[in-house]
Amino acid sequence: MMSLRLGDDAPNFKAKTSLGDIDFYEYLGDSWGVLFSHPADYTPVCTTELGKTASLKDEFAKRNVKVIALSVDSVESHKLWINDINETQDVEVTFPIIADENREIAEAYDMIHPNASVNATVRSLFIIGPDKKIKLIITYPASTGRNFQEILRVIDSLQLTAYHSVATPADWKDGEQVVVLPSIKTEDIPAKFPKGFTEVKPYLRLTPQPNK
C-alpha cells in the first residue's frame, strides 16, 4: 500500500465512534479537520493528549476546525476511558473517538508501522482542509506526546497561506511578519501588500501579516 502524501485526498470512511456512527466527510462538512490516532485506550500519554485537545476546544472552534481521535479499541472502552480523561485532566471530552477495531481506517491512513509495532497505531496526526485534501502529516513515536501549540500554529499558517500569497518563516506565530512568495514581483508588492515590506534579499521579502 502506498503511503498518503501532502495534497492527497483524505480517505473517507464510515465508523462507529464514542458519539455514534459517522461518515467522516459529513462530519467535517466545510470545516478544517484534525484526525489523530492513539496506540490504545488507557495509555498514559494518550490520556494527556486527549485531555489537552479537550481543553483547547475553543481554540479549535475559532479556527473552524473539527477534531476526531482514533484508537483500535471498542466504543465501550472509549466511553469508559473518556470518564478517566475527564477526571484526571479536569476537562470534558466532547469530540468523537473512532473505534477502529478492524484497523481498516488505520490501514487506509498508514497508521500501522510494523517496525514500531505490529498491531498498534503510531501517533499520527493529519490536518485536512475543507477541500478534503491532506495539508499536514506528523507522526510521533508512541513514547512522545504531541505539542498542541505547534498544531495550532500550523493551522494558523495553513489558513493564512491558503488565502494570501505568503509563507510563514521559522518559528512564526500568528501576528508576526510573513514572507512574500517569490512568485510576486517586488514591484507588485506595494499594491498587493499595502502595509509595506522589507527587502532583506531580492528573494526574501517580509511584510506584516495581511489579515491582521
Side-chain angles (χ1 to χ4, degrees):
M1 183 188 70
M2 292 185 65
S3 299
L4 291 173
R5 296 181 178 179
L6 299 185
D8 287 353
D9 290 331
N12 194 25
F13 56 82
K14 291 179 170 60
K16 296 183 182 302
T17 81
S18 55
L19 297 180
D21 294 352
I22 67 156
D23 175 287
F24 185 48
Y25 277 14
E26 289 180 4
Y27 171 74
L28 291 180
D30 294 328
S31 300
W32 290 70
V34 170
L35 168 66
F36 59 118
S37 61
H38 300 275
D41 291 358
Y42 300 104
T43 49
V45 174
C46 300
T47 299
T48 65
E49 289 188 327
L50 290 174
K52 175 57 70 173
T53 302
S55 74
L56 293 171
K57 176 181 178 180
D58 292 344
E59 293 296 322
F60 286 114
K62 75 181 185 183
R63 292 168 172 82
N64 189 31
V65 175
K66 290 183 177 177
V67 299
I68 186 166
L70 176 147
S71 172
V72 297
D73 293 306
S74 67
V75 167
E76 292 74 19
S77 175
H78 289 350
K79 289 181 177 179
L80 293 172
W81 184 30
I82 287 170
N83 290 336
D84 281 4
I85 297 167
N86 291 344
E87 175 193 348
T88 62
Q89 308 302 303
D90 193 25
V91 295
E92 182 180 356
V93 173
T94 58
F95 55 87
I97 305 177
I98 297 164
D100 189 30
E101 293 180 272
N102 58 16
R103 295 175 173 78
E104 287 183 3
I105 301 166
E107 292 287 355
Y109 278 82
D110 195 27
M111 294 172 175
I112 305 291
H113 291 196
N115 289 335
S117 173
V118 173
N119 55 15
T121 58
V122 290
R123 192 169 276 115
S124 294
L125 182 142
F126 299 83
I127 296 177
I128 298 162
D131 57 1
K132 307 301 185 290
K133 293 190 181 296
I134 295 172
K135 307 299 183 182
L136 176 87
I137 303 171
I138 309 177
T139 298
Y140 294 77
S143 57
T144 303
R146 283 171 268 238
N147 183 332
F148 282 85
Q149 292 305 314
E150 168 64 4
I151 293 163
L152 291 174
R153 188 188 78 89
V154 171
I155 292 169
D156 287 338
S157 174
L158 288 168
Q159 293 182 342
L160 170 67
T161 59
Y163 304 113
H164 299 275
S165 300
V166 297
T168 54
D171 295 335
W172 172 86
K173 295 182 181 66
D174 188 44
E176 296 179 349
Q177 286 195 116
V178 295
V179 174
V180 179
L181 290 183
S183 58
I184 305 297
K185 295 179 180 178
T186 299
E187 58 265 30
D188 295 335
I189 292 178
K192 196 168 183 64
F193 300 98
K195 294 179 182 179
F197 73 101
T198 301
E199 183 178 298
V200 181
K201 290 286 184 180
Y203 58 86
L204 176 57
R205 292 85 50 88
L206 302 175
T207 189
Q209 186 170 324
N211 64 345
K212 290 289 184 179

